[in-house]
Amino acid sequence: MKIIDIQAAGLRGATPEGGWANEIKPDDCVHTLIAVFTDEGVIGWGSSFTNDRLVQASLEILEPLCIGENALEPERVGEKLHAHTFWLGRGGALTHTISGIDIAMWDILGKVTGQPVGRLLGGRYRDRVRPYASLLMQEPARLSEHLHSIRAQGFQAFKIGWGPFGRSSNTVDEQIVRAAREAVGPQSTLMVDAGASDAFWHQDYKWAARTAEMLAGYGVYWFEEPLAPDNLRDYLLLRKNSPVPIAGGEVLTRRQSFLPWLQRGAFDIVQPDVTKVGGISEERRIAWMAEENGVRFIPHGWNTALGLAADLHLASASKHTDMVEYLTGSPFIDEIVETKWELDASGMLPIPERPGLGISLDLDAVEKYTGKRFRLP
Ligand SMILES: [Mg+2]
């Protein structure tokens, strides 16, 4: 089975806010869907965390390397793409685009072999996983109201991030966390994401260390991106000294970039994004590296339904991955699938058992957010 065509289309019209200093608007495109077509009619779907124009430009380089390739060999084809683009901007939009192609190829492999991707990755340790609801921080009263409404949807784990946290005062930081803990109750899992990969993040190690102490008082499960994302030295120090686990790594791409962070022990929890790092092939190797280095792997999932499906399969195939990120309030997660995501009574999400990624896209919803850009048979 050979690859004959690759198409991409950006999602816009309902892009959720990212909490960025330079805030994204609904019509901005930061997620692009990718479809890989084969000569036997099987189509695989993937997703890339970047703008569609960057994906289109990357595909001009990558697609010729894919045409005629065996559509059932995602890992080898992915390695070929990485190896042939070494000089052309590795780690950036090219790698993000390779991620989408790789996810689509695993989808194809699963569809052809009749197996869910997680089984092809080596086996399913679990059939369901706890999704944690991810949402932006707001001032305490509004955040509290928002958390109550999300809790009513059945979630039992929550992550609040970005917004005013670390950007206003220590007093405001604590008011936000106190309000959140009160809203979700003492039994729920609560995480806090400083979002220090935001532009011009100005806090330093002292703030992070002090804030980690404050978070411990509210039973916070992990403290995410508390430091500027390239500050390896302070991450090493903070992980050693913080009473709460330290999470990070969402901006890193390529497995090689994760090596020093994992080997030297910068994180308690590593959060690679499957739509950025190089896809499922790359992320499972990062997951393995994490495991060997005593770091938990819990995927970053601020992306799309296809990214979430890939995360679920990676979680099924990873020994210690019992949670995935669920971005709340995004039609690109909730609306573009035919069968809506549904939590069970314990707030768990079933991992698809059908072949491939195991989800079907609602093509009308895809068209609504991409325009008529996919030329499907
Ligand atoms: Mg984050």
Side-chain angles (χ1 to χ4, degrees):
M1 184 176 293
K2 295 197 183 324
I3 297 175
I4 55 167
D5 187 20
I6 301 179
Q7 297 175 21
L11 292 165
R12 41 168 63 77
T15 302
E17 289 187 354
W20 301 355
N22 181 25
E23 188 54 272
I24 34 180
K25 298 176 190 67
D27 281 335
D28 289 336
C29 171
V30 292
H31 297 296
T32 304
L33 301 185
I34 289 184
V36 174
F37 296 78
T38 63
D39 59 354
E40 294 183 36
V42 181
I43 302 170
W45 290 92
S47 180
S48 288
F49 192 152
T50 193
N51 182 272
D52 53 350
R53 285 169 300 173
L54 293 173
V55 171
Q56 296 293 0
S58 301
L59 279 178
E60 286 182 30
I61 307 290
L62 298 170
E63 192 182 3
L65 294 164
C66 293
I67 300 299
E69 267 295 356
N70 190 323
L72 305 179
E73 299 183 1
E75 198 155 281
R76 184 186 58 77
V77 173
E79 278 302 297
K80 175 181 169 182
L81 299 181
H82 290 300
H84 285 294
T85 53
F86 200 84
W87 305 100
L88 298 179
R90 65 174 187 164
L94 276 165
T95 303
H96 292 217
T97 304
I98 292 171
S99 310
I101 297 171
D102 179 84
I103 295 167
M105 288 187 69
W106 278 99
D107 190 29
I108 292 171
L109 179 58
K111 284 170 174 165
V112 171
T113 56
Q115 295 294 335
V117 166
R119 182 160 300 128
L120 298 176
L121 294 173
R124 287 162 65 102
Y125 287 94
R126 55 190 62 77
D127 295 320
R128 49 187 213 147
V129 69
R130 183 168 301 290
Y132 70 81
S134 210
L135 61 148
L136 292 180
M137 288 197 204
Q138 297 160 293
E139 53 90 14
R142 279 174 61 205
L143 176 66
S144 174
E145 207 175 297
H146 193 181
L147 280 166
H148 279 294
S149 76
I150 286 179
R151 199 179 171 200
Q153 295 168 26
F155 286 100
Q156 296 184 11
F158 308 84
K159 186 177 82 188
I160 53 171
W162 298 65
F165 199 78
R167 291 142 175 101
S168 172
S169 71
N170 294 341
T171 310
V172 169
D173 291 350
E174 184 157 0
Q175 284 169 350
I176 290 172
V177 177
R178 184 185 305 127
R181 174 50 82 195
E182 281 169 12
V184 302
Q187 302 306 325
S188 293
T189 308
L190 177 67
M191 286 79 78
V192 169
D193 180 359
S197 52
D198 197 9
F200 303 109
W201 175 256
H202 72 284
Q203 298 288 5
D204 59 7
Y205 175 82
K206 290 281 197 297
W207 174 86
R210 181 193 184 285
T211 303
E213 297 287 342
M214 181 272 282
L215 297 180
Y218 294 92
V220 166
Y221 193 64
W222 77 59
F223 188 15
E224 175 171 330
E225 282 211 302
L227 295 160
D230 298 308
N231 191 347
L232 175 57
R233 189 200 56 188
D234 283 352
Y235 264 102
L236 294 173
L237 204 57
L238 188 64
R239 186 197 182 191
K240 208 173 281 172
N241 296 324
S242 165
V244 294
I246 299 300
E250 70 186 64
V251 302
L252 299 175
T253 61
R254 307 187 312 119
R255 63 184 183 273
Q256 295 86 350
S257 307
F258 285 83
L259 264 175
W261 296 80
L262 295 172
Q263 288 179 336
R264 295 181 61 187
F267 306 128
D268 294 285
I269 294 135
V270 67
Q271 303 169 297
D273 189 315
V274 71
T275 64
K276 291 163 73 172
V277 294
I280 292 170
S281 301
E282 202 76 355
E283 186 143 318
R284 78 147 151 181
R285 294 174 71 157
I286 295 163
W288 287 343
M289 240 195 278
E291 191 183 313
E292 301 314 332
N293 286 283
V295 177
R296 265 178 85 199
F297 155 67
I298 299 179
H300 177 259
W302 196 278
N303 46 59
T304 66
L306 290 158
L308 175 59
D311 288 344
L312 290 171
H313 287 286
L314 282 156
S316 79
S318 306
K319 245 187 280 179
H320 306 299
T321 304
D322 54 1
M323 280 207 278
V324 294
E325 179 166 17
Y326 193 110
L327 169 57
T328 57
S330 171
F332 305 159
I333 304 259
D334 297 330
E335 216 183 299
I336 67 167
V337 283
E338 241 170 29
T339 309
K340 303 301 175 214
W341 305 102
E342 228 174 281
L343 306 189
D344 67 16
S346 356
M348 304 287 273
L349 199 55
I351 295 166
E353 289 177 8
R354 288 162 52 207
L357 293 175
I359 60 166
S360 302
L361 293 178
D362 177 333
L363 294 176
D364 291 332
V366 168
E367 193 174 301
K368 175 175 161 193
Y369 296 116
T370 58
K372 285 188 199 288
R373 283 192 176 74
F374 283 114
R375 303 173 307 279
L376 300 172

